[in-house]
């Protein structure tokens, strides 16, 4: 994660892929196979994912990136008169350049606490719609979008997810989970939500590859077979169908072999743990507390500038004219020596 | 291209990537870089493409697949009241699952001959629109889509392209070229259209990677800098922005190093030439004549079935109840021994 | 239909509304009622339409114009992966400025004869899709659009409609009929298709008001109650919901009182019959034969110009550099004396 | 406004049209004219509106309803990467069933006070976007939507509008004003914003007809000629083009003859003033204070039910389990005797 003297902790997508993935791409390179995800590698990957999710009937599709996967799945789930509920800090609410609206659907924003929505707020949004005598003039809440970990690096507990899922199911509302960084949730000691839990509680979700060790790729999982008919064509229509589908398939086959996906998460979480401890000891202020691979620190602008000379971090936001929130992210690629060097750089601000 | 005893000639996207690409991905794997195509590899690739196109000011963006690139570019070029002219056999007219219409635009189909449109038909379409007294009720032709090679494997000559481009420019109509298989056009002895010609004649085009040796990826080129403002955001909105943009950048950097893109094309064209000659000698009928890496043969259904037991070919269409058009495609991955074995299989039908 | 010396036969929407409609708007003007079509007038109109169609369970919605009604209904019927089959001369194929594509759907054009599609061509389009091994990359035919009378003023016979409907139902394809000028079909002696026939054979259709005597308005009829859920909201989303829904309701209540809708048609058909006979006697050439209120004559350009000085006709198309097709349209508003004067103008060309 | 014993104050679109409008429709009914708004009545109406707005070069189009006009204008103004800023209580944010998102654009909600946005919040929204280092991943604020009066019946002062317009112009942001109930603003004693002010400060706006005495219709005004090219076709594409455009034209010609539009407003405002005074005297609580034709009162549910037996009011919202906000609206159609009767019904709750 270092290049020359500079340290790189800006994001979890700064390097190529986990070496095992590249190795597997090499081994399989000259094997001929059919396109569009109908190949044996993709089928093997699908089976491994079904098994990991305890969802033997699941439909699994491999897409390229997170925004794309969100747009495809949301467009497939919603009917024209419906919108998608999401935290006001949700990725689809803020950083997807209007991809959901491009597909014709409104994002119905919910309040958030630490990046999470509450079962109460989901229920209130649904109830408000149905109690409104003029609701035929209003976009119907048609599904719920959540992310695990959230955009703030926080986690839903199993209890929280169960409550939210309960509200959704009582109201016939599909629940969709964005798992762009799911590996880092699964590997987190504070986490009590497993892949089978997610598959049991959600109507659709995706297991992130791009930010969890793959060159690219996200695995969309629909636990109930046939729930989203003609999804293949919808994927094609969104320009999201890979001709060489195997390239995504091989990567996910590898990620779900020998627990690689979970090991990738663990490396990042352990590195983040060490950095977090050092930050605390040195008296840094956290913008908010996160248990996963993203750490958000509040810095004076001068400090941020000084630190940025040695360490590339991610810009998050300016809180006022003199303070900035910066993100430190670890990943599968974070090396112990980089963590040590980062900690050395973190003199008391 | 063989796997066990079976021969694979169904398409040009059946294997991984040219070994040089994989090697380069390995070499660069642990270098840290920023995301979204702002990295040094992508910049290097852009510069190599600008040079190869003699278009020093060109904007270049790397996208993932052909349908996606077509949809993004067409949506970026057209205004709401406009549609895109294309051959009735054009990929956007037939095999993109409505991706252009999903973006809100009509495909205005033109007659075709061997997969190509004529300058006369382009001019007629534009003239018909403007001469129609009710044209404010009609979708305005707002751009032209062509492909080189065409979906039928045929080529526009430089003379043809100049005429078509002339009609477009007289009428203020942007011309866009789909180069999904451009390497196979450029390497073709019959071809007289160079990359600089394309850059000079088109307002936008893409250089195909997926079907020309890359794991995936297409390089969208806009010769005139700034012609399509905010294209980065439009790409994001379409779910087409790669977080690890470098993965596409590294591939195109490699393809445009040491003439690899052209060498890939040449291998396929030479292999196709040998197969074509053998087919002719053995008396096969061609559905239509093509000089590039795709060969379309007309078979009785029984013959098609028999041959398919030994050779995987691509299904093209049924011409009647007893005849089928099958496609034989070569690529960068086609080995001389596979060509020999295929020719052996081609006993007089 | 005359204004000063000039005669007006350009279209059937050149005047206001049938006097009975205006009179009824006057009578009801100060009655207070709820909005959005939930008023008593609209309910009365719906009941009269249900009765006229022998469709007691039908859902009926009043919209404003034809393009709007087509776009709303097609968007409500189709799923994202589907397109609408229509004659290449269909209004949605040609003169709706891309309204269907704006809603995200492709128009799948079918061959036409006299503006009509054949059951065979509908069947072939569906069969071609399903027999295509790559059909998951292709827009699925999801419904059929036809118009009665057609854009060419011609009529489907009951036999033809039954065959087409049969093909649709065998294939699970909804059939939708655009009745912008339905009054003129129903009043035509050659016609053997009644409103109950249409309601029995179609999944949705609309009864045109704008071109048949109303100020504006089209009545969308869905014979099977509940077939299109949340249509009210889809209408609102398309900007097609009238706040004062009663204004459309009152008009259709009047049109379906004392056979007004049919009487309006008859006036136009009788006038057109006299004009047609005169044209024949004087040796005019017809561009195509029509039994309804639109007559298409082929004129030399000089003749067209000369006649246009006295009579305003509709421009249809230029067939070559020296010939033009002009449309003569009659309506509810055509007066016997205008027909006489027009016939006087029609000296042998 | 009464029907039998019951009083109707639920909205300002419960009756037909101002009698002068109906009378004029009668007078002109049999005059023949061309369609689509190219007729002489529409041209006369456009000229009267240009004069009333002191905007001699303005483009003026007549559409049918408010949601439609908003959707058409916003789609015409925005480019694909842009969204529209609006108060979180704006009509487009809440009660248009997702019509703006259907057109592909995000509504960027701003905080509101009494239904109004502040220049500061507009500036902050724009600044936040441009200061965000990742703004290429975010929807760009591309225009501002405001309404006068607002959805809460409140008014912007000229000073407020000037400030907001100033922020917009400094930032190159078009400003669009929804004047669904503009007559009631213009006639309000507290109001200091004239039509010429609006035309000078806005890039586009509409003068509402449906809720201000017309059968239907809104006049979209673009003060700078040619600012929105091909708007006619965009209108058609949205299904918003009236075949008998004259019907809207005649209505607006009448509304802008002899100050009718302003007189209509004055009747409603005077009636509302009397009712408001009576409510105050009788101790009713207002949900919020409004100077225009809509009055929002906070009632206990039992009170609301009792009053509703005698007077039809509009349901606005439930504030808690035991309280309801009801809307009383006056209009051009409100008669003095109805106001007297309403006041009699308003015994101290």
């Amino acid at each position: 994660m270092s290049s020359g003297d500079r340290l790189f902790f800006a994001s979890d997508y700064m390097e190529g892929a986990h070496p095992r993935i590249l190795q597997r791409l090499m081994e399989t390179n000259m094997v001929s196979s059919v396109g569009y995800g109908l190949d044996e590698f993709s089928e093997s990957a699908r089976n491994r994912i079904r098994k990991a999710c305890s969802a033997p009937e699941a439909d699994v599709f491999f897409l390229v990136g997170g925004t794309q996967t969100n747009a495809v799945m949301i467009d497939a789930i919603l009917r024209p008169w419906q919108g998608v509920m999401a935290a006001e800090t949700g990725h689809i609410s803020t950083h997807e350049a209007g991809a959901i609206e491009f597909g014709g659907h409104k994002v119905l924003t919910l309040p958030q606490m630490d990046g999470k929505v509450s079962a109460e707020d989901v229920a209130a949004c649904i109830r408000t719609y149905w109690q409104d005598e003029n609701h035929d003039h209003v976009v119907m809440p048609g599904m719920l979008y959540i992310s695990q970990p959230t955009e703030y690096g926080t986690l839903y507990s199993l209890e929280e997810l169960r409550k939210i899922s309960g509200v959704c199911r009582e109201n016939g509302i599909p629940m969709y989970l964005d798992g762009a960084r799911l590996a880092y949730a699964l590997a987190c000691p504070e986490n009590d939500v497993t892949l089978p839990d997610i598959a049991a509680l959600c109507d659709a979700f995706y297991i992130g590859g791009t930010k969890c060790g793959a060159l690219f790729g996200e695995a969309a999982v629909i636990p109930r077979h046939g729930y989203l008919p003609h999804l293949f064509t919808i994927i094609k229509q969104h320009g999201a169908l890979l001709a060489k589908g195997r390239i995504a398939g091989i990567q996910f086959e590898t990620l779900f072999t020998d627990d690689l996906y979970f090991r990738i998460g663990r490396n990042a979480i352990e590195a983040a743990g060490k950095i977090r401890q050092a930050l605390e000891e040195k008296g840094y202020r956290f913008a908010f507390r996160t248990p996963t691979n993203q750490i958000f620190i509040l810095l004076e602008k001068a400090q941020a500038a000084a630190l940025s000379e040695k360490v590339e971090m991610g810009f998050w936001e300016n809180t006022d004219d003199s303070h900035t929130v910066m993100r430190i992210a670890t990943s599968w690629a974070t090396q112990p020596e980089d963590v040590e060097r980062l900690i050395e750089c973190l003199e008391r601000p």
Side-chain angles (χ1 to χ4, degrees), chain A residues 100-319:
Chain A
I100 306 308
E101 292 81 6
F102 177 67
H105 297 291
K106 195 181 192 74
V107 179
L108 304 163
T109 51
L110 300 177
Q112 57 84 27
M113 175 75 80
D114 297 332
K116 298 192 281 182
V117 299
S118 69
E120 290 71 24
D121 285 331
V122 173
C125 177
I126 300 168
R127 193 173 54 238
T128 298
Y129 171 82
W130 288 103
Q131 288 183 353
D132 181 350
E133 295 187 12
N134 301 316
H135 70 235
D136 284 345
H137 299 246
V138 174
V139 175
M140 180 194 289
M143 66 180 287
L144 173 66
Y145 164 98
I146 59 171
S147 40
Q148 173 85 330
T150 69
E151 292 73 10
Y152 278 24
T154 54
L155 293 174
Y156 287 93
S157 70
L158 183 55
E159 176 68 13
E160 288 171 329
L161 280 193
R162 278 191 180 139
K163 272 194 194 166
I164 295 171
S165 175
V167 167
C168 286
R169 296 208 166 153
E170 278 164 34
N171 289 282
I173 297 280
M175 178 162 133
Y176 167 74
L177 184 145
D178 176 335
R181 294 187 164 95
L182 196 52
Y184 306 121
L186 296 173
C188 193
E190 285 85 342
N191 175 60
D192 65 349
V193 181
T194 65
L195 273 177
D197 291 332
I198 293 171
L201 295 171
C202 294
D203 298 89
F205 62 100
Y206 84 83
I207 301 171
T210 304
K211 292 171 180 166
C212 303
L215 291 173
F216 69 87
E218 326 294 332
V221 183
I222 302 107
R224 181 155 52 89
H225 172 65
Y227 166 53
L228 297 177
H230 299 283
L231 189 52
F232 184 96
T233 302
I234 294 178
I235 289 170
K236 176 76 181 178
Q237 191 178 68
H238 280 69
L241 186 66
L242 279 167
K244 291 181 178 169
R246 61 190 263 161
I247 305 300
I250 290 164
Q251 294 188 82
F252 273 96
E253 188 190 32
T254 308
L255 287 171
F256 280 82
T257 298
D258 298 339
D259 280 340
L260 181 59
Y261 194 68
F262 305 92
R263 286 189 286 130
I264 280 173
R266 209 171 301 130
N267 182 71
I269 293 300
E270 287 171 4
K274 285 182 192 150
I275 297 166
R276 202 176 277 112
Q277 189 182 342
L279 287 163
E280 279 176 7
E281 289 171 4
K282 291 171 199 285
Y284 279 82
R285 289 165 64 193
F286 294 88
F288 29 85
R289 288 284 175 168
T290 63
T292 55
N293 74 316
Q294 300 183 85
I295 303 169
F296 298 88
I297 51 176
L298 182 67
L299 298 173
E300 287 174 25
K301 286 201 169 175
Q303 291 176 313
L307 191 54
S308 293
E309 283 181 21
K310 289 178 277 181
V311 185
E312 186 151 325
M313 298 175 290
F315 169 81
W316 194 251
E317 61 175 348
N318 293 317
T319 54

